[in-house]
Amino acid sequence: MGLLDIEKREGLALLRLNDPQRRNLLSSGLCRELIAAVKEANADESVRAIVICAAGKAFCAGADLDDLKAAAAGDTAAVQDVYDAFLTVADSPLPTLALVQGPAVGAGMNLALACDARIVGSAGSFDTRFLQIGLHPGGGHTWMLLRAVGWETASRLLLFSRTVKAEEAVRIGLAAEQAPNEELEAAALALLANLRNTPRELLLRTKASLRQAAASSHQESYKHETAEQMWSLHQPAFEKLVSDLQFKLGKRGD
């Protein structure tokens, strides 16, 4: 059995880190399996979103300390595998969601941050950890953390080495919502329910527009969105969904 369990249902690819005895450390083996699974989901026309979750009590304990020592000695291959895993998740054109049922530490926090959104379980937490082991943040941690929570909160978490538990994670915007650990998957299905009726290509284009907007001016985004909206007006889904809505509104008026 591998280090990653893959399940596809209801338009979702559920990718479960499955090395609980090592607290789901981001070993080269696990990272390579994760990269392959994300790429497969990206190419699967039946998949509308990727959910990353984990077995056991920890979401992910981060990088293997032996791999970090090897990098200090000049062998950076294993650490690069970890970085490649973050980037593959972050670069997915599909919506991505992390279910954080336990501690997400260091590089494990990066994996959660690489997703578009996070649901945190009652036992979940986020711990930057880097400075506490004398290590500069890596893998784009500062960029992802700033994007998620803003300058002041990112500074407090990173520079002061603050661990954030579930309730605070939701309050500061690090997680979209909180759910009991045993209800995390149900919460994910509820959050992603509307995706079932959304055309896959429209999802991909909308996520691409979000990325474009992050690096563009208002005028540039306006021009880009106008072109994309004109494209969507000529798709069969628009005509069907609008007709369905008009029918429902008409029924209410009867």
Side-chain angles (χ1 to χ4, degrees):
M1 186 171 65
L3 299 171
L4 185 77
D5 289 343
I6 303 170
E7 180 185 357
K8 292 181 181 178
R9 56 184 164 97
E10 299 185 49
L12 307 179
L14 283 85
L15 311 182
R16 189 183 308 276
L17 312 183
N18 191 21
D19 192 7
Q21 292 184 335
R22 298 205 301 164
R23 297 173 62 81
N24 298 311
L25 280 176
L26 290 172
S27 62
S28 285
L30 175 54
C31 288
R32 290 171 185 169
E33 288 186 40
L34 180 59
I35 290 167
V38 171
K39 289 181 177 179
E40 179 185 331
N42 291 344
D44 187 338
E45 293 292 330
S46 71
V47 174
R48 281 173 163 71
I50 295 171
V51 177
I52 297 179
C53 52
K57 293 184 178 180
F59 175 74
C60 179
D64 190 320
L65 297 180
D66 287 336
D67 290 341
L68 293 174
K69 287 183 176 180
D75 181 2
T76 62
V79 170
Q80 189 60 53
D81 285 337
V82 175
Y83 294 160
D84 289 345
F86 301 154
L87 291 174
T88 301
V89 172
D91 288 344
S92 174
L94 292 166
T96 54
L97 177 67
L99 305 184
V100 181
Q101 92 293 0
V105 180
M109 184 173 173
N110 275 359
L111 179 58
L113 286 171
C115 293
D116 297 320
R118 292 150 291 283
I119 299 178
V120 62
S122 50
S125 62
F126 300 87
D127 181 354
T128 65
R129 190 64 63 94
F130 293 102
L131 271 61
Q132 291 177 276
I133 62 169
L135 186 66
H136 190 283
H141 182 81
T142 55
W143 187 89
M144 292 189 291
L145 190 58
L146 274 170
R147 180 188 66 166
V149 299
W151 177 273
E152 182 175 348
T153 301
S155 299
R156 177 166 56 89
L157 301 187
L158 182 56
L159 300 179
F160 305 153
S161 299
R162 277 287 312 280
T163 297
V164 177
K165 295 188 177 180
E167 185 174 341
E168 184 182 2
V170 175
R171 180 170 55 80
I172 65 176
L174 195 53
E177 59 186 81
Q178 178 185 350
N181 272 25
E182 63 274 14
E183 297 176 14
L184 273 176
E185 286 194 17
L189 291 173
L191 181 64
L192 300 172
N194 287 336
L195 298 188
R196 296 171 197 159
N197 296 322
T198 305
R200 190 176 193 268
E201 182 64 19
L202 181 59
L203 279 172
L204 300 183
R205 286 175 177 252
T206 301
K207 181 168 177 177
S209 292
L210 277 170
R211 285 182 169 148
Q212 190 269 351
S216 303
S217 68
H218 189 177
Q219 280 294 324
E220 289 168 335
S221 292
Y222 159 74
K223 291 177 182 178
H224 174 81
E225 288 181 11
T226 298
E228 291 295 86
Q229 192 171 72
M230 289 301 106
W231 167 84
S232 67
L233 286 171
H234 293 89
Q235 302 307 305
F238 170 76
E239 183 175 353
K240 180 182 184 305
L241 292 172
V242 169
S243 295
D244 289 348
L245 177 59
Q246 288 176 324
F247 177 77
K248 290 178 183 177
L249 292 174
K251 294 285 284 185
R252 290 177 188 172
D254 291 344

